[in-house]
Amino acid sequence: MAVRDYDAIIVGASFAGLAVARRLRGEVLLLDRNEVGTVQTSACGTPLWIPRAFGVEESILAVHDRLVVRSPTRTVVYDISAVPFCTFDYEKFCRGLLDQCRARFLRVGVTGVRNEAVVTMEGSFRAPVVVDCSGWRRVLINGGSVASPTNGFSFGLETRTGFSEDGLVLWLDDRVIPHGLGWIFPVGRGSLIGLGSYAGNTKLRPRLDRFLATMAEAPTTYHGTYFPNRMLRPTSGRIFAVGDAAGQCLPLTAEGIRPALYFGEQCARIVQRIIDGALTVVDGLAHYRRLVGRYRWAYLQLGLGQLLASGLPSRWFGGVAALANRSPLREYWWPRYGNFGRSRDGQVMPATSTAVVR
């Protein structure tokens, strides 16, 4: 079969891939083995300003101005009204982003890269710029073979229930999940309830079922996935990596949506310059590596927090959570965390701006 040429090829059509695709002009091909918005593996919680900045407000299900952290010894309530969070409908969010894309979307499985062409089940496609947004599997960077999660990967399992809760809730309790956290994310009618293991333990269903039983709730369908908790290479050869494929999920909080969207936007700005002939591929790759590298200290700080949350007895971490809720610490860290990736006008921060989070 003949190889068809494009200006850019993006593999993966979830948050990262859609963020890249919606910014690009030219002949762009977006590939995914699933229809856009059909395979949700996320709890779908993010700052309220994100769906507004990306033009997908209609996907919002609930808005939250309080965050509750529960440990064996205490319950700490954070006022997050300065930067409220929301939960949203995954399909509506993703379809809304796709509607903003000029790219051609093709539902097809990708088997790897060969002779500078992306190989799929329906033939090969070639482009000077290729972006791997395939998540933790890192299909292109791993040469078509699925990555084997080892150190540096967490695992989460979640189900939707009819449980009602006021605000976002995080559980740090060894009795519920050792070396990990639990969550309750209200989504309007009902809540998404899940457990995440920092150690990458995949045998979470019995624990999740017991956790649900304490709330007299029954699970519906389960969905789970791995997610990285440390930065990985943002480029490999001539391939850009964005989102979980580059390990851009935030440690400790396991927030992956916002970094995928943010770095996707910044990667797209660089790729567009390559398409326009203003930048070579080699220089573009170097520019993207430098951009991502500016955030390594912030990721190291969150990684240290994850080590403490995972290693300390959870009854101790309740004290840490309470200390972080005291003034002036709370006024310092929460707006900075909540506004990561946000410019002063409320939009996604341009690549040349200084990051809010250090």
Side-chain angles (χ1 to χ4, degrees), residues 204 217 232 291:
L204 298 182
E217 288 294 326
L232 303 171
L291 185 150

Side-chain angles (χ1 to χ4, degrees), residues 159-289:
T159 186
R160 183 161 185 161
T161 72
F163 188 75
S164 296
E165 182 61 80
D166 181 20
L168 303 173
V169 181
L170 297 179
W171 289 76
L172 288 162
D173 190 334
D174 293 335
R175 298 168 301 180
V176 175
I177 173 72
H179 312 298
L181 77 166
W183 61 87
I184 303 174
F185 278 21
V187 290
R189 295 182 179 178
S191 299
L192 292 171
I193 301 179
L195 299 178
S197 167
Y198 292 137
N201 177 18
T202 62
K203 310 296 184 182
L204 298 182
R205 181 167 173 173
R207 289 187 175 276
L208 180 54
D209 288 346
R210 289 195 294 271
F211 186 42
L212 294 170
T214 64
M215 294 172 265
E217 288 294 326
T220 54
T221 57
Y222 299 88
H223 57 262
T225 189
Y226 288 100
F227 48 93
N229 54 44
R230 61 181 175 85
M231 276 191 159
L232 303 171
R233 292 179 298 168
T235 66
S236 178
R238 296 174 66 86
I239 299 172
F240 293 83
V242 181
D244 283 2
Q248 290 163 349
C249 181
L250 298 177
L252 180 62
T253 62
E255 189 186 350
I257 298 167
R258 186 164 33 144
L261 294 169
Y262 171 70
F263 287 111
E265 283 268 308
Q266 309 319 322
C267 180
R269 295 172 191 270
I270 295 169
V271 170
Q272 189 61 58
R273 292 182 64 196
I274 296 172
I275 293 174
D276 293 341
L279 202 63
T280 66
V281 174
V282 171
D283 288 342
L285 290 162
H287 183 31
Y288 181 61
R289 285 193 295 271

Side-chain angles (χ1 to χ4, degrees), residues 17-158:
L18 291 167
V20 176
R22 71 188 284 272
R23 277 285 182 184
L24 297 182
R25 303 180 307 275
E27 290 291 319
V28 178
L29 180 63
L30 177 62
L31 303 172
D32 199 293
R33 58 182 178 167
N34 301 301
E35 288 293 345
V36 174
T38 58
V39 181
Q40 178 180 337
T41 58
S42 167
C44 292
T46 197
L48 179 60
W49 65 265
I50 284 283
R52 289 175 173 173
F54 280 83
V56 288
E57 266 188 284
E58 69 280 359
S59 68
I60 295 171
L61 295 173
V63 178
H64 309 285
D65 58 10
R66 64 197 298 265
L67 169 66
V68 180
V69 177
R70 291 179 177 163
S71 75
T73 56
R74 66 181 75 194
T75 297
V76 181
V77 180
Y78 293 89
D79 178 359
I80 60 172
S81 57
V83 188
F85 263 54
C86 71
T87 47
F88 59 84
D89 182 281
Y90 177 74
E91 181 177 4
K92 287 184 178 179
F93 192 104
C94 291
R95 297 296 301 186
L97 293 182
L98 182 65
D99 289 343
Q100 300 172 36
C101 297
R102 303 177 181 90
R104 176 196 175 196
F105 173 69
L106 181 62
R107 180 185 175 188
V108 66
V110 174
T111 59
V113 179
R114 186 180 306 119
N115 298 326
E116 298 187 352
V118 176
V119 182
T120 77
M121 303 299 291
E122 296 188 12
S124 298
F125 304 93
R126 186 168 49 211
V129 180
V130 177
V131 188
D132 190 342
C133 301
S134 62
W136 67 269
R137 293 177 174 83
R138 310 173 77 215
V139 172
L140 296 183
I141 289 179
N142 285 296
S145 61
V146 175
S148 298
T150 53
N151 293 334
F153 284 86
S154 303
F155 184 84
L157 184 68
E158 183 179 70

